[in-house]
Amino acid sequence: MLDIRALRDNGEAIRDALAKRGYSLDLDGFRALDGRRKEADIRSQDLQAQRKKASKQIGELIQSGLSVDEAKAKVAETLKTLDAQLDDEVARAKEIQDELRAFLMGVPNAPAEEVPPGADEDDNVEVRRWGTPRQFDFKPKDHVDVGEGLSEGRLDFERASKLSGARFAVMTGQLARLHRALIDFMLDQHTSEHGYQELYVPYLVGPEALAGTGQLPKFEEDLFKMRGERELYLIPTAEVPVTNLAADEILDAETMPRRYVCHTPCFRSEAGSHGKDTRGMIRQHQFEKVELVQLVRPGESEQALEALTGHAEAILQKLDLPYRLVTLCGGDLGFSAAKTYDLEVWLPSQQRYREISSCSNFRDYQARRMQARWRNPETGKPELVHTLNGSGLAVGRTLVAILENYQNEEGSVTVPEALRPYLRGKERLS
């Protein structure tokens, strides 16, 4: 959520920044609503002053010779009227405050100054590439054909569809084990090499957690909501429960920065994606991710984004998967992000790079929604933290990239060297 004081003081600048992402801020509507809130506050304060003055009259009347009961009776009607007016005004002020919060909750984060302009992913700016795409001496298959053709364990969409419908997958045997090996490898790298603390979190969260990270109220159609006694949702990413661990807390300065890594399944309805990536594992309702989350001091978040992105890149490099890094333009930026890097891995079957990780700096946008703060030792006062997250990596898409980049002409798949210790030295899936 944006800082309401910044909107009051620098509304035009924020409106112009939001225009970079194609969002039209109703600045006049905000100012009118904020003006109504201010008027309601003034009226409440005036009524409270009148009530205080009326209450003082009881003492004055007693001093003039009236009994206590006579004095109270004389001003009772005035106090009753003022109390009723004050109750009405407080209720009205709360309604306006709720309207104002709902307005602010619907406004996306302002892009960082360096975010390039643009309407969609076609306008994203490439920063660098790593690795050289493999030149095949045969026509490479896509991951579906490779996975379905394995004999030691295979990719099975037909039986997954029998269980759950489209956009689900079943993996068996050595392929399932390779998938698990990827998770273990990523967690080991991030905990032992990059200094993250591993977490295990619930896969069901309440609406407050989703509002804190920005999925609610705007993106409810993308979520799976549970039916039952409590209002709970399946998590779309570990970002939600992990970041919300700091909600309504004040962190000690000496415990920062906080770096967390967490593996979870992720559940997304993929609303609006009908017809997109219907074949295979690129866009699923259920998939696995190893998520990186950082909570840092405000002055450190830009540097932290570079470091976090580098940690995700290190996984791709150790798996020897060619990729490129792009900066998202304003029009492709996520709702809560101020700046995002996408890592896109090379897929031979598509002859193009596809997203495998998004690494974002949210600055204080999520922290304000969650009231996640730290105590600044220089001032002794609580201040909002800055939050960051990124996939390190999306496990299913990493498996897709391995199946395609490491496939052999006869249909087998070479196991990347970094993963062989996790498969008891196995070098190839037949």
Side-chain angles (χ1 to χ4, degrees), residues 127-143:
V127 178
R128 59 177 174 267
R129 296 188 181 194
W130 185 93
T132 303
R134 175 183 169 189
Q135 297 299 311
F136 291 84
D137 53 11
F138 61 93
K139 184 177 180 180
K141 301 175 182 178
D142 72 2
H143 69 280

Side-chain angles (χ1 to χ4, degrees), residues 204-207 210 224-234:
L204 290 166
V205 296
L210 289 154
F224 285 109
K225 187 174 183 179
M226 308 302 292
R227 299 180 64 180
E229 294 181 1
R230 296 178 56 198
E231 187 178 5
L232 293 171
Y233 295 80
L234 286 166

Side-chain angles (χ1 to χ4, degrees), residues 25-64:
L25 176 65
D26 184 5
L27 194 55
D28 291 337
F30 164 74
R31 286 172 172 165
L33 192 56
D34 197 37
R36 286 171 53 207
R37 177 207 55 80
K38 186 175 181 180
E39 290 172 2
D41 287 344
I42 292 172
R43 287 195 297 269
S44 295
Q45 293 169 9
D46 182 56
L47 287 167
Q48 288 172 344
Q50 290 183 48
R51 193 189 187 288
K52 187 176 181 181
K53 183 178 179 181
S55 297
K56 285 183 177 180
Q57 289 179 355
I58 295 175
E60 295 170 357
L61 290 170
I62 292 173
Q63 289 179 353
S64 69

Side-chain angles (χ1 to χ4, degrees), residues 250-251 253 298 373-385:
I250 300 175
L251 310 180
R373 295 170 291 170
W374 70 293
R375 192 172 300 280
N376 188 330
E378 295 181 1
T379 64
K381 297 180 179 179
E383 299 177 7
L384 295 171
V385 303

Side-chain angles (χ1 to χ4, degrees), residues 107-126:
V107 178
N109 201 357
E113 185 177 349
E114 64 271 21
V115 169
D120 53 36
E121 61 182 16
D122 293 333
D123 297 317
N124 294 339
V125 177
E126 183 175 306

Side-chain angles (χ1 to χ4, degrees), residues 65-110:
L66 293 180
S67 68
V68 173
D69 290 340
E70 288 174 331
K72 287 183 177 179
K74 195 168 184 66
V75 298
E77 194 60 37
T78 300
L79 286 173
K80 183 178 179 181
T81 301
L82 288 172
D83 284 342
Q85 292 176 345
L86 184 57
D87 288 344
D88 289 343
E89 206 57 56
V90 168
R92 187 177 297 110
K94 185 180 183 306
E95 288 179 6
I96 297 171
Q97 192 67 40
D98 289 345
E99 284 185 58
L100 194 55
R101 179 173 175 78
F103 175 89
L104 292 172
M105 291 287 276
V107 178
N109 201 357

Side-chain angles (χ1 to χ4, degrees), residues 44 135 145 208 218 299 328 331 333 353 359 362 369 409:
S44 295
Q135 297 299 311
D145 290 336
E208 300 82 6
K218 189 173 178 61
L328 297 197
L333 207 58
Y353 293 94
C359 302
F362 303 97
R369 296 165 80 106
E409 187 171 11

